[in-house]
Amino acid sequence: MKEYKIEGLSCASCAADMEEKIKKLDNGDTAAILYNSSKLKIDESASLAKVKEILATDGASLISDVEQEHGHAHARSNKLKLFLGISTGLFILTIIFETFLPNILPVIFYLTAITISGYQTFIKGLKNLFRLKFNIDTLMTIALVGAISIGEWKEATLVAILFGLNEYLEGLGMEKARKSMEKLLKVAPKEAILITNGVERVVPIDVLQQDDIVLVKSGEKIPSDGIVVDGVSSVNEAAITGESLPVEKEVNAKVFGGSINNEGVLKIQITKAFEDSSLAKILHLVQEAQETKTPTEQFINKFAKYYTPLIMMISLLVMTVPPLLFGGAWGAWFYQGLAVLIVGCPCALILSSPIAIVSGITRNARNGILVKGGVFLEQLGKINTIAFDKTGTLTKGEPHVEKIVEYDNRLLSIAGAVEKKSSHPLAKAIMKKVVETEVEFSESDEIKTLSGRGVEAIVGGIKYYVGNEKSIEHLNFDENVQRDIDDLKAQGLTLVIVADEKYVLGIFGISDEIREESKQVMDKLHQIGIKHTVMLTGDHIQTAEKVANQVGVSEYHANLLPEQKVEKIKSLHERGNVAMIGDGINDAPALAVADLGIAMGKGTDSAIETADIVLMQDHLGRLPSAISISKKVNNVIRLNISLALGLKLIALLLTIPGWLTLWIAVLSDMGATILVSLISLTILMERKNHEVT
């Protein structure tokens, strides 16, 4: 499949029609026109000449070069504005001087204005009429021909101008949303400085391979995911995580493609080709996300198929029933029927969803929240229950020393000597605490691992034990030590006990450090309408209770195996729509069972591939914001549908007293289109009310 950019794609229903025609071509059955991103995907063996011919019938064209595309789009926009300006000016001048002109001249001027602003619509509508295909262009063409046939030149001209303006504004709204998305997608770097045998040369990023060394100067973008092999700097990772604060990087630190080196010079060893990098995957998923149809969009598209023929039937009834049954004037009711046709244009209705969806996905992506499709964006706004994994989600997943009970002043120095060379997470937590206290410690002479207990070591000729309770079973310690052990365990702490062959020197109470933002996030979630926040963990009940109380979740469940987490998620479905948040690896089964799987990512492949939504930051701070944006998208779509149908209903009711005119009909459709576009674009406006940092 090859991908092309389409210029001049301003109508969703037209895009669907063009796609149908292209699919009928040889090797065109897999073709897809992506209206939201204005792209065509098609088999390379399909005839491009015939594709261009089909697109041209609706005023669109294929563009392969980005610069060329912007030039064409700008030229087309200017052309539309010029034609509308000329026809509007001619219309106004004709009205002013109509009484001073010979009878035929005003007609010629009105016809000229109609031609300038509505010829494309007329040609497309006429072709559709011959094919018995009824869409917006067909309806407008019938209305224009009908108005001209009964001598309503002024009305027909105003209809053509207003419809042209409506099309222009409709395209402008969608283009604004597309440009916002395109701006987001431009973060990808284009070139890199590759170092080969000490020689530097600039190369395109797509030639970079794993283990290549690249040089990244101050202010330049890092070309792909990699590891720093030389240099120290701070890096702006906003393109990946949405976080604007710089992150310090030194040798062996991981970096993401697309992030910006703030100062200094870094040498980076590439770990992934750009196409496999976190940024490339994010950009690809964001682009794909624009085109997934939500249940609401699917309903609107299905509804529109029946809506247009229904309007045509109503129009026919308006034209014929009053004259036949109630003695109405044929000319007057024919005019009313034409106005009904224009009211029936489904533009605003079809446009009520896509701009809002693209805006919502773009806004979240800017904040480092990757939503994989409009359907997931819509679902996020309906969530009322969120289940959280504990380790690595509500907590940092890194043990730290929370409490120390010291019986002997040798405690810290002996712990440092024994744990210095250990890579065990608990040993690292103890060493961090020992280093902070600046206590001096010597090297241990001999270390022996005691399975299921801890370690045994010789320091200064004396044997010491560092481990759990089993490591000190041989000692007869007093009741005070046992009381302290029981007390620390009751607090949900993991114990590391240090002892010699006679006495306990002290106890380290270790816990998984709770994330600073977790408590605030829970408060915000409850404020914005999340009724139930549930913590699911495999840890024992004391630890679960402690964390739950500190972060403020509604309820918690402990001692859970992965399959038990799945069962809990299933039971939570009884309360409504459930989201599960985890690290994207261990919690994969629970993420899959939930209505919505949300992963803590920081750019990891597994998180991006597993969940429906990925929080690219390594914390929950932007979660309330993402939910608020999704709720706003859903509210905007509902409001748009109400406005689109409401304004049309009001216009249709005007036919009862016979007050509906052609220009009121067009204004009702245009007003709905403008309102729908503007309201949808408000989603792009940045607000930080629900962000927790």
Side-chain angles (χ1 to χ4, degrees):
M1 295 285 282
K2 197 162 184 181
E3 194 174 276
Y4 296 91
K5 190 77 176 170
I6 301 178
E7 185 264 324
L9 195 64
S10 59
C11 166
S13 58
C14 302
D17 289 342
M18 287 189 284
E19 184 181 293
E20 277 184 37
K21 294 174 193 172
I22 292 170
K23 282 185 173 180
K24 291 175 183 176
L25 298 176
D26 291 340
N27 303 311
D29 54 323
T30 57
I33 289 181
L34 312 180
Y35 173 66
N36 290 357
S37 53
S38 197
K39 289 181 180 178
L40 167 69
K41 288 185 177 181
I42 191 166
D43 192 298
E44 292 184 34
S45 55
S47 170
L48 273 186
K50 290 182 180 177
V51 169
K52 289 177 180 178
E53 201 175 301
I54 291 168
L55 295 177
T57 60
D58 284 287
S61 58
L62 283 184
I63 301 291
S64 55
D65 181 73
V66 176
E67 294 299 324
Q68 187 187 5
E69 169 210 337
H70 290 309
H72 277 237
H74 187 64
R76 183 176 184 274
S77 177
N78 285 340
K79 184 180 176 183
L80 280 172
K81 283 192 284 186
L82 177 64
F83 281 2
L84 283 170
I86 292 171
S87 56
T88 303
L90 191 57
F91 175 66
I92 293 169
L93 288 172
T94 305
I95 291 174
I96 294 171
F97 297 106
E98 189 172 5
T99 53
F100 306 106
L101 297 171
N103 289 340
I104 193 66
L105 278 181
V107 172
I108 292 171
F109 291 152
Y110 285 135
L111 188 59
T112 304
I114 290 170
T115 305
I116 291 171
S117 57
Y119 76 95
Q120 284 188 328
T121 300
F122 181 77
I123 292 168
K124 288 187 282 187
L126 211 56
K127 287 179 180 177
N128 288 335
L129 201 55
F130 285 126
R131 298 183 198 127
L132 295 178
K133 190 158 195 168
F134 298 100
N135 63 9
I136 182 170
D137 296 313
T138 318
L139 297 180
M140 291 305 298
T141 299
I142 294 171
L144 279 173
V145 171
I148 291 169
S149 68
I150 59 174
E152 291 287 349
W153 293 99
K154 197 181 294 180
E155 293 274 358
T157 308
L158 187 58
V159 165
I161 290 170
L162 288 176
F163 184 68
L165 180 62
N166 187 40
E167 274 201 319
Y168 171 71
L169 292 173
E170 182 184 336
L172 206 63
M174 196 65 222
E175 194 58 34
K176 174 73 175 172
R178 285 178 190 144
K179 282 182 178 176
S180 178
M181 178 63 75
E182 285 169 6
K183 186 179 178 183
L184 176 76
L185 300 178
K186 282 180 182 176
V187 298
K190 301 290 188 294
E191 296 177 327
I193 301 174
L194 177 64
I195 302 175
T196 310
N197 298 323
V199 178
E200 298 176 11
R201 59 191 177 98
V202 178
V203 298
I205 60 165
D206 55 10
V207 306
L208 293 180
Q209 297 179 355
Q210 188 174 335
D211 296 329
D212 280 348
I213 303 294
V214 295
L215 185 73
V216 183
K217 298 176 183 177
S218 174
E220 291 182 345
K221 291 179 181 177
I222 294 170
S224 189
D225 294 0
I227 297 172
V228 177
V229 292
D230 186 38
V232 176
S233 183
S234 65
V235 171
N236 182 343
E237 295 181 343
I240 307 294
T241 66
E243 298 282 15
S244 57
L245 293 176
V247 181
E248 297 299 322
K249 301 291 182 182
E250 55 187 19
V251 174
N252 293 327
K254 291 182 179 179
V255 291
F256 299 114
S259 50
I260 300 170
N261 180 19
N262 286 331
E263 75 275 333
V265 177
L266 293 176
K267 283 185 181 178
I268 295 167
Q269 182 177 9
I270 300 298
T271 54
K272 294 176 186 172
F274 180 75
E275 62 185 17
D276 298 321
S277 69
S278 302
L279 179 63
K281 288 181 179 178
I282 291 166
L283 299 184
H284 176 69
L285 288 169
V286 167
Q287 284 180 293
E288 282 192 339
Q290 298 176 75
E291 303 304 333
T292 57
K293 297 293 183 187
T294 68
T296 304
E297 283 183 291
Q298 289 171 349
F299 169 76
I300 290 171
N301 290 339
K302 192 177 288 186
F303 176 73
K305 285 183 180 179
Y306 300 101
Y307 170 81
T308 303
L310 178 65
I311 285 293
M312 294 195 71
M313 286 297 298
I314 293 172
S315 173
L316 187 62
L317 291 172
V318 168
M319 288 178 182
T320 56
V321 171
L324 288 173
L325 300 182
F326 305 107
W330 281 98
W333 285 103
F334 181 74
Y335 177 87
Q336 290 284 300
L338 293 178
V340 169
L341 273 184
I342 296 172
V343 170
C345 294
C347 278
L349 185 65
I350 292 171
L351 207 63
S352 60
S353 184
I355 295 179
I357 292 293
V358 172
S359 298
I361 290 171
T362 304
R363 173 84 182 279
N364 274 320
R366 279 186 199 158
N367 292 338
I369 299 156
L370 175 60
V371 183
K372 291 188 180 178
V375 64
F376 304 125
L377 186 72
E378 188 175 280
Q379 185 66 31
L380 182 60
K382 296 176 180 177
I383 291 297
N384 62 3
T385 301
I386 302 180
F388 298 86
D389 175 47
K390 179 185 77 70
T391 306
T393 303
L394 296 174
T395 66
K396 291 183 178 179
E398 299 173 359
H400 81 120
V401 176
E402 186 173 317
K403 288 196 175 180
I404 300 176
V405 179
E406 189 174 1
Y407 306 117
D408 189 302
N409 58 17
R410 291 176 292 163
L411 173 65
L412 293 173
S413 60
I414 295 301
V418 175
E419 302 285 42
K420 182 180 179 181
K421 296 179 181 178
S422 175
S423 59
H424 193 282
L426 297 183
K428 287 182 177 180
I430 291 171
M431 278 307 301
K432 185 178 179 182
K433 193 69 177 179
V434 170
V435 171
E436 284 175 4
T437 59
E438 298 182 353
V439 171
E440 292 185 8
F441 54 88
S442 59
E443 295 281 345
S444 55
D445 299 324
E446 183 183 325
I447 296 179
K448 179 183 177 183
T449 301
L450 305 175
S451 181
R453 295 167 179 260
V455 295
E456 176 186 293
I458 305 296
V459 180
I462 301 174
K463 184 182 288 187
Y464 293 95
Y465 302 90
V466 179
N468 56 27
E469 290 176 83
K470 292 179 181 178
S471 68
I472 58 167
E473 285 177 343
H474 61 287
L475 298 180
N476 292 317
F477 45 84
D478 60 39
E479 60 184 30
N480 290 331
V481 174
Q482 187 61 55
R483 186 182 64 245
D484 288 337
I485 288 173
D486 294 340
D487 183 45
L488 292 172
K489 284 171 67 177
Q491 294 177 45
L493 299 175
T494 300
L495 306 188
V496 175
I497 302 168
V498 180
D500 59 19
E501 293 187 277
K502 293 182 180 180
Y503 306 104
V504 174
L505 306 185
I507 308 168
F508 291 96
I510 298 175
S511 68
D512 186 359
E513 191 173 359
I514 293 171
R515 293 179 181 274
E516 295 85 353
E517 77 281 357
S518 292
K519 171 66 176 168
Q520 290 176 279
V521 167
M522 293 306 140
D523 292 341
K524 284 287 185 185
L525 290 176
H526 293 144
Q527 286 173 22
I528 63 174
I530 302 300
K531 296 178 181 177
H532 310 285
T533 50
V534 184
M535 185 181 76
L536 307 178
T537 179
D539 273 352
H540 54 76
I541 190 69
Q542 292 95 335
T543 300
E545 183 180 16
K546 175 188 171 185
V547 173
N549 290 336
Q550 287 185 337
V551 302
V553 292
S554 308
E555 62 185 84
Y556 62 92
H557 301 277
N559 296 312
L560 298 178
L561 296 171
E563 57 270 23
Q564 291 173 313
K565 285 186 181 182
V566 169
E567 291 306 313
K568 283 293 178 187
I569 293 292
K570 287 179 179 177
S571 67
L572 289 173
H573 279 130
E574 297 172 10
R575 303 181 187 178
N577 296 312
V578 182
M580 170 69 191
I581 303 182
D583 61 11
I585 307 169
N586 301 331
D587 300 299
L591 289 170
V593 169
D595 294 306
L596 203 63
I598 304 175
M600 301 280 288
K602 193 75 174 181
T604 58
D605 293 344
S606 55
I608 293 174
E609 290 163 8
T610 303
D612 306 316
I613 295 173
V614 183
L615 307 178
M616 299 306 294
Q617 316 90 3
D618 200 24
H619 61 75
L620 297 168
R622 298 284 175 88
L623 179 62
S625 172
I627 294 172
S628 295
I629 290 168
S630 302
K631 284 179 179 288
K632 183 172 183 179
V633 168
N634 290 349
N635 291 337
V636 161
I637 291 172
R638 282 193 290 269
L639 177 61
N640 285 347
I641 293 170
S642 301
L643 283 171
L645 294 177
L647 286 173
K648 290 180 185 301
L649 181 61
I650 291 169
L652 286 173
L653 290 174
L654 292 176
T655 60
I656 296 172
W659 295 347
L660 184 62
T661 63
L662 292 178
W663 65 269
I664 287 177
V666 176
L667 280 177
S668 72
D669 183 62
M670 186 171 73
T673 300
I674 293 169
L675 282 172
V676 161
S677 300
L678 290 177
I679 292 169
S680 295
L681 290 172
T682 61
I683 295 167
L684 289 169
M685 296 169 63
E686 294 289 343
R687 289 172 57 197
K688 298 188 178 180
N689 294 2
H690 301 302
E691 293 174 11
V692 179
T693 55

